[in-house]
Amino acid sequence: MITLNPWKVPKGGGVAEPEHQRAQMRATMTGLVLAELCDAARRKARHGEYREAERYLLQALALDGSSPRLWALLGELTSDPEIARIAASQEALLRREWVGDESAGRLSSGTLALPRGGVAGAALRNARLIAAALLVVVLLSLWLLGRAYARRYEGRLFPGVSIAGIDVGGMTPREGTLLVEALVRQRVEAPIELKWGARSVVLSAQEAGLMLDAMRSLEEAMAVGRRGGVWQTWIEPVQVGLWGKDVPLVVRVDPARVDRALDTVAAAVERPAIPPAVAWDGKRWSVYPGQDGYHVARDRTRPVLEAVLRSAAHSGGNETLTVPVAVVTETAALTPGEIALVLQQLERVGQPLLVRAGEFTRTLGPPELAHWVALARTPQGVTLRVDPAALRETVQRLAAEVDRPAQDGRLVVEGDRAVEFHLPEDGRELERAGAQVLLLEAWERRLRGEAVDALELPIRILPGRPDPLQLELGIVEEIGSGSSSFAGSSPERANNICVGGQDLNGRLIPPGEVFSLNDALAPISWEKGYQVAPIISEGVLVLGLGGGLCQVSTTVYRAALFSGLEIVERHAHQWRIPYYEQDAPPGFDATIMQGGPDLKIRNNTGHYLLLQVETDLEQARQTARFFGTSPGWKVVVGEPDISADGLTVAYRRTVERAGEVLSEETFYSFYAYHEW
C-alpha cells in the first residue's frame, strides 16, 4: 500500500527557493505519483481486486481531489454503486467548473417495429390453439409449483439469498437479523486512520460517519421473490435458487459525524498563523519571526473520507483503512535571511525624524516609528511597509499639538485705561492629509537608502479678527518692549514693584500726549498696597513707602527707549545700583520720586498707545510693552561708552524709517561714587 503526505511542512531554516521553482517541482512530483497510483489501480482491477484498486484511487484523490479524470476512473473501477454515484457527482461538478456546463451527448433509443403476420389456413390455426393450450397447461403447472415453493418458505428468506456475502437463505427474519447485526458491528468497528505527516488519528468507521442499517438490509432480502407481478414472484425465487442473489448492506454516511471526525483532526492539526512583528526595546530593534499556520482542507478531505467509509462497509475484515488528510500551510514565519533583511531596513527607517510645522517642532523617535511598522510579503520577498491606521494616529497626535484656534482681538476701555485687552492671534491647523503623504514619502525615501533627517509639515493659518475699538484707536500691534530683573529684592520691594506695575497696566496715551510716570502712579499710599522698603532720599539710603518703584520706571524707560518714543524727561540714579545692572549695562536705569525726578514720555506715533506691564514674581522679572500702530521705525541703540571710573555712561539712539534718519540723540548717565 502506498501512503503519501504531500502536505508535510519541511523543517529547518535557510533561505527558501524561489516560489515558482518550488511550485514546478511540486507539480512534477505530484504528476508522477498520480500516474503511478492510477497504473496500480488499473492493474488491480484487471485481476479483479476492485477493493485494492479503490484504495489506490482514494490516495490519488487525496493528492488531487480537483481532477475529474480521477473521479471518473474511480466510478469505472468501483463495485459499489454509492461510491460510483459520489464519483460521478464529483466528476460532473469539476467538469462544470473547468469547461462550463456542457451537456454530454445522450443516446436516443429507437423504436422497433414488429411485423404483422399474415392469415394462415385453418390447420395452422388449430395447431396454434393446441400449442397454446399446452403452453397454458405448462405455465399453470409451473405456477402451482412456484406457489407451493413460496408457501414452503413463507416467513423465511428464499434459498440463495445472501446479505453482504453472508448466506441467509432459508432463515427466519430473527435468525437473519442476528447474523446481519453481528456483521454490521464488525464493519462499523473497522479502524479508520486519518493521517497527516507522521501523525494520525484512528477512529472507528462509525465514529467517522459510517451508518449501516441491518433492518433495512433484511427487509430488502425478505422482499426478494415477493415483489412484482405473478410472473416475477414465480421466476425470481427460481433464479435466486439457481444463481443466488446478494443484497448489499444499506449504507449511509452521516455528515454530522464526518464533521466531528474532521473537527477531531483539526484540533490536532490546526494552529493559527502568527504574523511576524518588529519592536523597539529602548536600545535596539528586534524582529519576532512569527509562525506558519496550518488548517485542514475539508473540501478535499471530505469526499475521500466518505469514499473510504463506503469502501469499509464492504470490506471483509478489520484491516485499517488510511485516509490522507489534506493540510494547507499558511506561510507567515520569516526565514533567518528575511529577518536579517528586515533588520537592515529598520536601521534605515527607524532613525529619529525631526518634524516642523511653523514654530512647532517635534522629534519622532524609534518608539513612535515602531508603531508604524508592518511587514508585507510581495513576490520580491518580505519588506517593511507603513500601517496606514498607525500613521493616521501619529498625524492626529501631532495635530493635537500643532492645532491652535484663532483668537479675536479684545479691547474694553474704562476711563483712561484698558481693563481688558489682547491682540488678535492667528490660529493654525495641521493639514492632515498633506502631512500623512509627506511622512509616508519620507519613510519610502529612507527605505530606498536616502538620508531624510527633517520634514516640514504643511499648516493652514486661521486669521484672528481685531476688535472694532482696536481699529478705531489704532492699537493693533506691539511697538516695542523692555524688561528688567529684580532678583535679590526683599519681599517688600518685590511687592511694591508688582503693585506699581499693576497701577500702570492698561494706561492709554493719546497721540501727542506726554505721559508722566509720577502722575500715573500718584498717590503712593497704603491703600493701594504699597509697603515700606529702602529708597534713596537726598543722597541717603532710607526706608520709605513705595521703595522699589524706580524698578518700574527703569522697566518703562527701557520699553520707551527701544520703541523709539520721545523721551521728554529721564534721570539716572544718584549711584550705580546693582539691581539695574543684572541684565543690562550701566546707564539704562531711570529714577523717580513723588515731587522730584520724573520719567516723561511723549506719544509721537500719531495713534493711541497702550502700556501693558507684566510682573513675574517667581522669575523676579518685569516687562513693559507699548501697543499701537507702528510708524515703521527702525530703532538702533549703540553700545554704551563708560568712563574709566565707571561713573559716566553715554549711548546713542538712532531712529530711522526707510533709510532716513528721523532722530539721533545721546543719553547720558552721571553717577556719584558709593561704597556698597
Side-chain angles (χ1 to χ4, degrees), residues 303-615:
V304 178
L305 174 57
E306 291 181 357
V308 168
L309 289 174
R310 294 189 179 278
S311 177
H314 307 296
S315 177
N318 288 328
E319 179 186 359
T320 300
L321 300 179
T322 301
V323 178
V325 177
V327 178
V328 177
T329 301
E330 183 181 351
T331 302
L334 298 179
T335 65
E338 290 171 334
I339 292 175
L341 175 62
V342 169
L343 285 172
Q344 291 176 1
Q345 294 176 337
L346 284 171
E347 288 300 322
R348 291 199 294 267
V349 302
Q351 297 298 318
L353 176 64
L354 175 67
V355 294
R356 292 187 292 265
E359 68 271 20
F360 169 82
T361 60
R362 167 84 178 277
T363 299
L364 300 177
E368 183 79 46
L369 298 175
H371 292 294
W372 300 6
V373 180
L375 292 169
R377 285 193 176 274
T378 67
Q380 291 74 34
V382 175
T383 186
L384 295 180
R385 66 176 181 84
V386 173
D387 181 354
L391 181 57
R392 283 194 297 271
E393 289 179 5
T394 297
V395 171
Q396 289 297 335
R397 285 195 293 270
L398 289 174
E401 299 180 58
V402 172
D403 290 356
R404 183 181 64 199
Q407 185 175 7
D408 293 340
R410 179 73 169 165
L411 177 59
V412 178
V413 175
E414 294 180 1
D416 62 349
R417 73 167 63 212
V419 295
E420 186 177 351
F421 168 74
H422 59 79
L423 290 175
E425 294 184 14
D426 290 342
R428 67 188 178 203
E429 184 178 80
L430 181 66
E431 293 185 7
R432 290 155 174 76
Q436 189 165 331
V437 169
L438 290 176
L439 287 169
L440 182 58
E441 288 178 353
W443 173 281
E444 292 173 347
R445 288 169 58 193
R446 283 183 164 188
L447 202 58
R448 293 194 297 267
E450 298 181 35
V452 182
D453 300 323
L455 196 62
E456 187 72 36
L457 302 181
I459 58 174
R460 184 182 299 106
I461 300 300
L462 308 174
R465 298 174 298 179
D467 185 283
L469 185 57
Q470 287 178 313
L471 295 175
E472 180 183 344
L473 299 181
I475 303 174
V476 295
E477 58 190 320
E478 183 177 323
I479 302 300
S481 65
S483 64
S484 67
S485 171
F486 55 92
S489 297
S490 66
E492 294 80 10
R493 185 175 191 274
N495 170 80
N496 294 337
I497 294 170
C498 182
V499 173
Q502 292 172 351
D503 211 2
L504 295 178
N505 188 55
R507 292 302 179 104
L508 288 171
I509 308 173
E513 183 174 301
V514 174
F515 176 72
S516 167
L517 203 63
N518 274 334
D519 292 345
L521 292 174
I524 309 298
S525 64
W526 293 99
E527 289 78 13
K528 286 186 176 182
Y530 287 108
Q531 298 178 12
V532 172
I535 62 173
I536 300 175
S537 176
E538 298 180 357
V540 179
L541 190 64
V542 297
L543 293 176
L545 188 63
L549 285 177
C550 290
Q551 188 85 43
V552 179
S553 63
T554 296
T555 303
V556 175
Y557 166 67
R558 292 177 182 179
L561 181 71
F562 292 111
S563 297
L565 300 178
E566 181 183 346
I567 309 298
V568 177
E569 181 181 345
R570 172 258 175 181
H571 302 274
H573 284 79
Q574 186 174 359
W575 309 318
R576 284 180 55 180
I577 299 176
Y579 282 129
Y580 309 120
E581 297 180 12
Q582 294 185 106
D583 58 352
F588 286 83
D589 59 311
T591 184
I592 61 170
M593 180 175 288
Q594 294 290 302
D598 195 2
L599 174 65
K600 294 181 180 180
I601 302 164
R602 186 187 306 277
N603 178 5
N604 58 337
T605 65
H607 297 83
Y608 268 86
L609 282 177
L610 172 63
L611 174 60
Q612 292 284 88
V613 180
E614 302 169 4
T615 306

